């Protein structure tokens, strides 16, 4: 089991007046299969904070997202990721996961009730 956190890259988020608060938390479990492919399962979690996309009142949202990925020796095929030299690099997978997890807007409590 791998647990770590990292600072979110600034270029991922394009909701106006919204930023990450704190690091992205990652927990991953992995299993190496007989054919040397590596199955990764786990999740990421992070908090967004800023201005409500509708009324501009302060808003924040904690987001968690399940991650599931397969790494294959050599090249990935688009559905899977590749790895070389016995080193699995989670960077691209995490970037994709954050992109999928990101909402298109941030709403305050009032606005998200509607
Ligand atoms: Zn609002």
């Amino acid at each position: 089991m791998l647990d770590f956190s990292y600072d979110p890259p600034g270029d991922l988020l394009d909701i106006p007046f919204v930023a990450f608060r704190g690091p992205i938390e990652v927990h991953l479990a992995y299993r190496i299969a007989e054919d040397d492919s590596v199955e990764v399962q786990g999740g990421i979690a992070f908090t967004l904070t800023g201005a409500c996309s509708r009324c501009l009142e302060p808003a924040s949202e904690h987001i968690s997202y399940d991650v599931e990925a397969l790494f294959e020796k050599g090249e990935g095929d688009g559905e899977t990721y590749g790895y070389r030299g016995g080193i699995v690099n989670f960077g691209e997978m995490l970037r994709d996961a954050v992109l999928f997890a990101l909402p298109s807007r941030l709403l305050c409590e009032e606005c998200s009730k509607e």
Side-chain angles (χ1 to χ4, degrees):
M1 195 78 186
L2 279 174
D3 279 290
F4 58 97
S5 60
Y6 69 104
D7 289 328
D11 61 342
L12 281 182
L13 190 59
D14 62 354
I15 312 172
F17 313 116
V18 173
F20 289 99
R21 186 175 67 205
I24 297 177
E25 309 278 346
V26 183
H27 58 98
L28 297 173
Y30 60 93
R31 196 176 72 84
I32 301 167
E34 270 173 39
D35 65 356
D36 284 338
S37 64
V38 181
E39 286 175 23
V40 178
Q41 262 189 326
I44 57 169
F46 55 86
T47 301
L48 295 180
T49 185
C52 172
S53 299
R54 189 190 277 174
C55 72
L56 296 180
E57 288 295 312
S60 79
E61 187 177 356
H62 185 73
I63 291 166
S64 51
Y65 187 81
D66 290 337
V67 176
E68 210 173 347
L70 186 68
F71 288 82
E72 290 179 312
K73 219 173 187 175
E75 295 287 328
D77 67 5
E79 302 267 303
T80 63
Y81 299 92
Y83 76 93
R84 283 176 197 288
I87 296 167
V88 175
N89 184 342
F90 295 125
E92 192 189 350
M93 177 196 80
L94 290 174
R95 193 183 165 84
D96 290 346
V98 172
L99 280 174
F100 279 122
L102 279 175
S104 57
R105 58 185 189 168
L106 181 68
L107 294 178
C108 70
E109 243 176 83
E110 276 305 306
C111 290
S112 53
K113 279 184 201 159
E114 289 169 27

